[in-house]
Amino acid sequence: MNLQFTKIRSLYSNFIFVVRSKSFLKLFLSLLVFLILPYSLIIGRMIYREYKDALDWNQRFQLVRIQLLAIDIENQIRQTLEIEFSKTNKFKSNPYSFTEIQSVCPGFVLEENKNISFFILPCEFEGKLNSYFLVNDGNRYRLFPSTFLEEALLDSSFSDPNEGLFLLNQSGNYGISGFIEDQFLVSAIWKEKAKSSLQTNSNLPTLKEVEIDGMGFFLVGIPLYGLPVHLFVVSPIHLVLQPILDSLETNITTLILLLVFTFFISTLISLREIESKQKLSLILNEFPHAAILYDSVGEVLLENPRIETNLDLTDVYLYQEPLKSWLKKEVLVFLKEIQNLSIVTTKEKTISENPSNSQNQTNPNGQTLRKDEFEVLTENGTVLLLEITYQIWYFEEKNHFASGALLLVQNVTKKRLEFEREMDYAKDLQKKYLPKQILFFPRFDYEILYRPLIQVGGDYYDYIDLGNNRYIFAIGDVIGHGVKAAMMMTVLKVLFHQITRTETNPEMILVKMNEGISRHFPDPYAFVPFLFLLFDLNVNLVYYGNAGHPGMIHYTNNTSKCYEKLNPMFGMLPKLEPKVLEFPILKGDRFYLFTDGLKDVENSKKEKIWEKELMSFFDKMKENHISFVKQELDFKIRSFSEGMDLLDDITWIGIDVI
């Protein structure tokens, strides 16, 4: 028993904890405002419209229907009286004098100067009091019992079983009713309610709402044509409104179910969110560096403020502002950028078109990242380099809209020092393997422009005197940037020098380079675009070999030519069937070799320099010396990029035949 009580108490305390949490209140109120309240307003307006339409329709219907009833009742009265008065053997149809009428009909009063042709009144014969029609026949009167009319009022073809009909004489003090419980007599209550509807100068129907014993009724009246009698129809209002009341009851039930469902869903989601927060809190506390979890409006959900064991976010400052305050403003900017992206596929498409130039990058799971590095000051004046990573997170795995941002802060001061040492080493290494100075080649004037993305890159260029009046210019592009790409570039140079030292056939140079790269280059560096121009002055021919490289322009006879790639990149196919172009060496010809980093130079408007801008520049420079072209090309790159970072390494070789 105690165990069950403990479980119940635990469940109750957990339930109270959940429903009092901010996440539950926000979610429940949101659903209340955006789901239940709009539904209530829509249903309320719809029922109100139905109520107004039902009342309007019922009034029109009742006014038309009572006219049909009046015609039916009047026809029955006239036909019955005409038939009965034609039978002279009927006792009560015999003519009576005024005095005789007063003796049998005690309620009958007639002013001397008033002519009357038709009247409804109670009369007593043989000790029985019943309703009769009184018909004036000159100075004599005839009586006829109204029993047939009681049946007509009780069961009319134009009335509803739930309604009541009654007739009142012109003065309204006596009438015949279709209500059995009142012995077919109009009660005093209905006489009083109908009194204001009696008409003397109009034959138009009237309608009003009356209330008796807390119930509402429609009371419709109309005078019978040619007879001093009024017909009234009593219709309960609730019959008209019953469908609306049923609809209201159904919708109220639906609202209650929605409210219960909303409460249940809010509780369930809040419980899962609280559990997730607890798990995330444990995970964040295990991080080796600071981590903050923000919601979609930039409020902190969870945080681990420790950058390192003895260093917290509150201990560092950026731009003379506490780092934590500055981070919140940056997170709001980051979340706003994410919210402006319509859908995940659009984000992936945008970034895939230009992945290397986007600060926001998408990982394979579709999460958007942003990384910044800043130098900050500690309270004792020490300068640290912090890497700040912004990453959106989703409450559910399949959600398309960000639930917030996860921010990671890491001290990378030591990593930066190690990186700088590695870069210095790689830079020295690359200097050793790239040509150090321009060599003299007869009949050729050439220049080199080399701009790595960072201090070192994966672009390879070379020019070699092969001996026997043969010279070769080459350019290649190892995938990637930085130290690893630079190391693979040195391997590419060694391989190219070994092959060209013994091989003179341009086609075999392509074949052996492809075999060497396929055999010795590891993934992801196993694919290398490459091209060369081999000038053989003995036969006055230049051989153009291209393995999937995008860039060479040839100016000859005042025209420019861009040649196709001819062969796939080195490493794509295990065996290569080489294609080589050859054309004569002509004085005044000019060749431009360049890697795709030159074509990908981009300005602040995301416009690339290739092809219109770059070709226009080269066309204008065709009469200038090749050294001047190099200087102007360097200036062109800087001015076109408008200070934007390069997207790739840039290597360019310009060759003039002199």
Side-chain angles (χ1 to χ4, degrees):
M1 189 70 177
N2 291 333
L3 181 61
Q4 291 180 348
F5 177 76
T6 303
K7 288 183 178 180
I8 294 173
R9 185 175 180 179
S10 176
L11 289 173
Y12 175 76
S13 61
N14 290 336
F15 173 77
I16 295 299
F17 174 75
V18 170
V19 298
R20 293 178 62 182
S21 64
K22 288 184 178 180
S23 58
F24 170 81
L25 292 176
K26 288 192 294 185
L27 182 59
F28 181 72
L29 291 177
S30 298
L31 291 174
L32 199 66
V33 171
F34 294 106
L35 177 64
I36 295 180
L37 182 59
Y39 180 81
S40 301
L41 293 175
I42 292 171
I43 294 304
R45 180 174 176 80
M46 182 183 70
I47 291 176
Y48 176 76
R49 291 288 298 273
E50 289 180 354
Y51 171 76
K52 297 292 288 183
D53 292 343
L55 289 182
D56 182 65
W57 175 86
N58 183 71
Q59 290 177 0
R60 296 172 184 272
F61 173 73
Q62 295 286 14
L63 293 175
V64 172
R65 189 161 62 92
I66 197 171
Q67 295 182 63
L68 298 175
L69 275 168
I71 295 172
D72 181 52
I73 297 297
E74 182 180 346
N75 288 336
Q76 289 190 53
I77 292 174
R78 291 184 181 278
Q79 290 175 6
T80 302
L81 292 180
E82 287 177 2
I83 294 172
E84 293 301 328
F85 286 157
S86 65
K87 301 176 182 179
T88 57
N89 59 342
K90 290 292 183 181
F91 166 75
K92 297 181 181 63
S93 295
N94 294 330
Y96 295 88
S97 65
F98 179 75
T99 304
E100 290 174 330
I101 290 296
Q102 283 187 321
S103 64
V104 295
C105 304
F108 177 65
V109 178
L110 182 65
E111 297 179 4
E112 295 180 357
N113 58 352
K114 185 175 181 181
N115 295 322
I116 184 170
S117 60
F118 187 85
F119 207 79
I120 301 178
L121 74 169
C123 298
E124 185 176 356
F125 287 96
E126 298 177 357
K128 293 183 179 180
L129 187 66
N130 291 308
S131 297
Y132 290 88
F133 287 115
L134 175 66
V135 180
N136 186 1
D137 185 12
N139 294 324
R140 306 290 288 176
Y141 300 91
R142 293 179 182 273
L143 291 175
F144 185 77
S146 60
T147 307
F148 76 95
L149 198 55
E150 295 171 359
E151 297 177 358
L153 294 176
L154 184 63
D155 187 21
S156 172
S157 59
F158 291 98
S159 65
D160 189 276
N162 296 307
E163 296 176 335
L165 306 179
F166 63 87
L167 297 170
L168 282 181
N169 58 20
Q170 196 166 13
S171 61
N173 57 8
Y174 185 76
I176 302 173
S177 171
F179 301 121
I180 301 175
E181 62 272 14
D182 294 327
Q183 297 181 349
F184 299 105
L185 297 177
V186 181
S187 66
I189 296 177
W190 285 114
K191 289 178 186 178
E192 182 65 27
K193 296 295 183 182
K195 197 169 185 179
S196 60
S197 298
L198 295 173
Q199 303 180 68
T200 57
N201 300 318
S202 174
N203 289 323
L204 296 177
T206 61
L207 183 145
K208 67 177 183 178
E209 295 183 27
V210 298
E211 185 174 332
I212 296 178
D213 297 333
M215 292 185 61
F217 297 90
F218 290 114
L219 182 62
V220 189
I222 187 173
L224 298 185
Y225 181 76
L227 298 176
V229 179
H230 278 73
L231 172 65
F232 289 92
V233 177
V234 178
S235 177
I237 294 179
H238 76 272
L239 293 178
V240 178
L241 302 181
Q242 190 59 46
I244 301 173
L245 294 174
D246 293 341
S247 176
L248 179 61
E249 182 180 352
T250 301
N251 284 288
I252 289 176
T253 304
T254 303
L255 275 175
I256 294 173
L257 292 176
L258 278 176
L259 189 62
V260 173
F261 177 76
T262 300
F263 184 85
F264 175 76
I265 290 297
S266 301
T267 303
L268 183 62
I269 294 177
S270 299
L271 183 61
R272 293 183 61 186
E273 185 175 345
I274 290 172
E275 291 177 352
S276 300
K277 284 184 179 180
Q278 292 174 344
K279 294 177 183 178
L280 285 172
S281 180
L282 294 174
I283 294 173
L284 290 183
N285 289 328
E286 294 296 324
F287 274 21
H289 41 265
I292 308 176
L293 188 67
Y294 295 88
D295 64 13
S296 58
V297 294
E299 295 296 327
V300 176
L301 297 175
L302 297 169
E303 66 175 332
N304 171 18
R306 294 188 301 275
I307 301 175
E308 292 179 348
T309 305
N310 299 319
L311 183 65
D312 284 3
L313 288 171
T314 54
D315 300 331
V316 294
Y317 298 85
L318 178 63
Y319 305 134
Q320 299 181 347
E321 180 182 1
L323 179 62
K324 194 172 179 180
S325 301
W326 184 86
L327 289 175
K328 182 172 182 178
K329 292 187 290 187
E330 286 299 301
V331 163
L332 288 173
V333 173
F334 174 69
L335 288 171
K336 186 175 181 180
E337 293 174 355
I338 297 302
Q339 291 168 358
N340 290 335
L341 299 177
S342 57
I343 54 175
V344 174
T345 53
T346 304
K347 292 186 290 184
E348 293 174 345
K349 179 180 178 182
T350 303
I351 295 172
S352 65
E353 290 175 352
N354 197 355
S356 60
N357 191 43
S358 178
Q359 286 186 328
N360 292 337
Q361 299 179 355
T362 301
N363 65 17
N365 295 325
Q367 293 179 313
T368 302
L369 302 172
R370 170 181 154 189
K371 286 188 177 182
D372 294 328
E373 287 187 356
F374 295 99
E375 288 186 346
V376 299
L377 287 174
T378 63
E379 292 180 340
N380 60 12
T382 304
V383 179
L384 300 176
L385 181 66
L386 298 183
E387 180 185 79
I388 303 172
T389 304
Y390 307 81
Q391 176 174 327
I392 64 173
W393 65 277
Y394 299 94
F395 190 70
E396 295 290 347
E397 183 179 355
K398 296 182 180 180
N399 280 4
H400 293 308
F401 299 99
S403 301
L406 175 63
L407 186 145
L408 307 177
V409 182
Q410 185 177 8
N411 184 2
V412 293
T413 307
K414 294 181 181 179
K415 290 184 178 180
R416 170 57 65 89
L417 294 175
E418 294 175 359
F419 174 75
E420 289 178 351
R421 286 195 294 267
E422 290 180 357
M423 292 302 294
D424 289 339
Y425 170 76
K427 189 175 181 180
D428 292 339
L429 181 66
Q430 195 165 53
K431 284 181 179 179
K432 294 179 181 179
Y433 281 89
L434 288 175
K436 298 180 178 63
Q437 59 185 3
I438 298 295
L439 302 178
F440 173 75
F441 291 162
R443 296 191 62 186
F444 301 107
D445 196 358
Y446 62 95
E447 289 287 347
I448 310 292
L449 176 63
Y450 176 65
R451 289 186 61 183
L453 180 63
I454 51 180
Q455 297 183 37
V456 293
D459 280 6
Y460 167 65
Y461 67 89
D462 214 338
Y463 38 90
I464 306 172
D465 183 353
L466 300 177
N468 192 27
N469 290 324
R470 298 171 69 250
Y471 308 93
I472 191 168
F473 294 84
I475 194 168
D477 186 1
V478 176
I479 294 175
H481 316 286
V483 177
K484 292 183 179 179
M487 296 293 290
M488 297 311 301
M489 184 275 294
T490 61
V491 177
L492 180 65
K493 173 173 180 170
V494 171
L495 179 65
F496 184 63
H497 276 247
Q498 287 179 345
I499 292 172
T500 54
R501 190 177 296 120
T502 58
E503 187 58 63
T504 60
N505 187 332
E507 294 181 351
M508 291 307 299
I509 292 176
L510 290 172
V511 171
K512 291 185 177 181
M513 284 291 294
N514 182 67
E515 292 176 352
I517 288 174
S518 298
R519 186 181 303 116
H520 299 295
F521 273 49
D523 292 333
Y525 305 99
F527 305 107
V528 179
F530 195 89
L531 71 80
F532 62 80
L533 288 176
L534 195 160
F535 294 90
D536 191 340
L537 300 182
N538 298 312
V539 293
N540 202 43
L541 290 176
V542 56
Y543 300 94
Y544 170 67
N546 188 323
H549 201 285
M552 190 191 84
I553 302 173
H554 180 199
Y555 281 90
T556 181
N557 296 325
N558 292 322
T559 61
S560 62
K561 298 180 180 180
C562 295
Y563 298 101
E564 59 180 329
K565 296 179 181 179
L566 299 178
N567 304 288
M569 286 188 293
F570 290 148
M572 289 192 68
L573 299 176
K575 291 186 179 181
L576 185 67
E577 297 180 2
K579 297 178 183 178
V580 176
L581 296 181
E582 60 180 57
F583 26 86
I585 302 174
L586 301 177
K587 183 178 180 180
D589 278 12
R590 173 172 288 180
F591 300 89
Y592 293 137
L593 314 181
F594 51 87
T595 57
D596 56 3
L598 178 59
K599 299 193 303 180
D600 291 338
V601 173
E602 198 174 74
N603 60 18
S604 59
K605 298 179 182 178
K606 304 298 182 182
E607 298 170 339
K608 294 186 183 297
I609 196 171
W610 182 260
E611 160 179 356
K612 181 179 179 181
E613 190 80 19
L614 194 59
M615 291 300 297
S616 175
F617 168 79
F618 284 144
D619 289 341
K620 292 178 182 178
M621 292 288 109
K622 61 184 178 182
E623 300 298 332
N624 297 100
H625 192 270
I626 197 68
S627 60
F628 181 76
V629 176
K630 172 187 174 181
Q631 295 176 3
E632 290 298 307
L633 178 60
D634 190 31
F635 177 76
K636 179 68 176 178
I637 293 171
R638 297 177 189 275
S639 61
F640 184 85
S641 62
E642 301 175 336
M644 300 292 291
D645 294 334
L646 297 177
L647 303 181
D648 200 357
D649 305 323
I650 295 177
T651 303
W652 170 87
I653 303 177
I655 307 170
D656 276 345
V657 180
I658 57 177

